[in-house]
Amino acid sequence: MFRPLVAHIDLEALHHNQRRVRALAPWAKRLAVVKANAYGHGMIDCARALDSDTEGFALLSLEEARSLRGLGVTKPILLLEGVFKYEDYQAVCALHLTPVIHHAEQIRMLELNPLDVPEKVFLKVDSGMHRLGFAPHQVIDAFKRLKALKAMGRSIDVVLMTHYACADERDLAAQQMGVMAELKASHPELNALETSYANSAAVMAGASFGKEHAVDIGDWVRTGLMLYGGSPIAGQTAAELNLKPVMQLQSQLIAVRKAPAGEGIGYGMRFIPDRDMRIGVVACGYADGYPRHAPTGTPVVVNGTRTRLLGRVSMDMLCVDLSDCPEAGVGAPVELFGRHLPIDEVALAAGTIPYELMTAVTQRVPRSLVFGS
Ligand SMILES: *Cc1c(COP(=O)(O)O)cnc(C)c1O
């Protein structure tokens, strides 16, 4: 690789995290969420690695689903937003995909299209997040309409789905659980259905609140963030939750220089040293996905020593403080996040979330597969 910036993808860590899902929810069937190019980690490589240790996958687009089928994946693939137009049900059936049904229009498209009815769907209930899904009072009607459809002469298999807005806040999750419980209590025909309620935060919260407060996670869990080693629980680190970082964004110093006191560094001269300083220039910028809004002070690890970002992030470079790294010269390794610097910490310092940092890493950053350290 010509430029020193690389995203190392640790497949051993990915397996470890997937085993954590199994340990936290031994009864559940795991849908590995690989949307957004597996949160920036590379969908094909991650799916290939996980295929033998998952019960299915979840993603967003037909193209992604088609490439998984092309790899030889035969397990269930959930389309998290369902289909967007009538014609797509044909491909959904041909590829044996499982669409989410979250809107009456998606049922109408099926009623108009009786030859292309999928064998299984996830019926999404809006239990309080108010993004996608049927309002509780609409669910039974949607269910009956789905049941009236026949997939190759057989009744269509329905899984009841919802999504928590704040799974790691017990009271708010409990409210949503109450909505689902009430729905089932008033319509016994929904009781027999399999369910899918949980993302990473809910799986973790289900375990960490203790039995009497556990978040109901249902039969099929949909975990993304925790698979990649991000902490889904505010205030708890990934290490505390026994998750391992999968991506390590690594680069090098490409220049080392003296920054004289009183003279600004980089665009906008946002950082002005109050004394002469040794600084380093790192090959990584916002065109690589590093957040431009990360402020001075955002942690960076140079040569194994934790230091900080200085001034504005440029398109292809950023500057770091080398005051505490006197030995670090051109070519010294720099970790932007990953093994020695949790992505959650960098996200916090930059005013964002690990999801955004992972998915932002751009195409021009080569991914390199590793297996353990
Ligand atoms: C992305 C997504 C998930 C995965 O969420 P994580 O927080 O990454 O575990 C689960 N369910 C739905 C509906 C999603 O869109």
Side-chain angles (χ1 to χ4, degrees), residues 135-155:
H137 72 273
Q138 303 171 319
V139 172
I140 193 67
D141 178 55
F143 174 71
K144 285 179 179 158
R145 283 172 71 187
L146 287 170
K147 276 304 195 188
L149 298 161
K150 292 276 178 274
M152 319 235 279
R154 283 190 306 116
S155 167

Side-chain angles (χ1 to χ4, degrees), residues 31 33 35 39 58-60 78 80-81 100 124 131-132 161-163 196-203 221-228 232 355:
L31 295 169
V33 181
K35 65 187 177 188
Y39 290 39
L59 41 67
L60 284 175
L78 182 67
L80 286 163
E81 294 176 351
V100 166
K124 188 160 186 177
R131 192 177 58 180
L132 290 187
M161 170 186 186
T162 196
H163 195 63
S196 176
Y197 295 170
N199 62 358
S200 299
V203 168
V221 296
R222 313 180 302 267
T223 46
L225 186 67
M226 69 176 287
L227 283 187
Y228 306 105
Y355 298 84

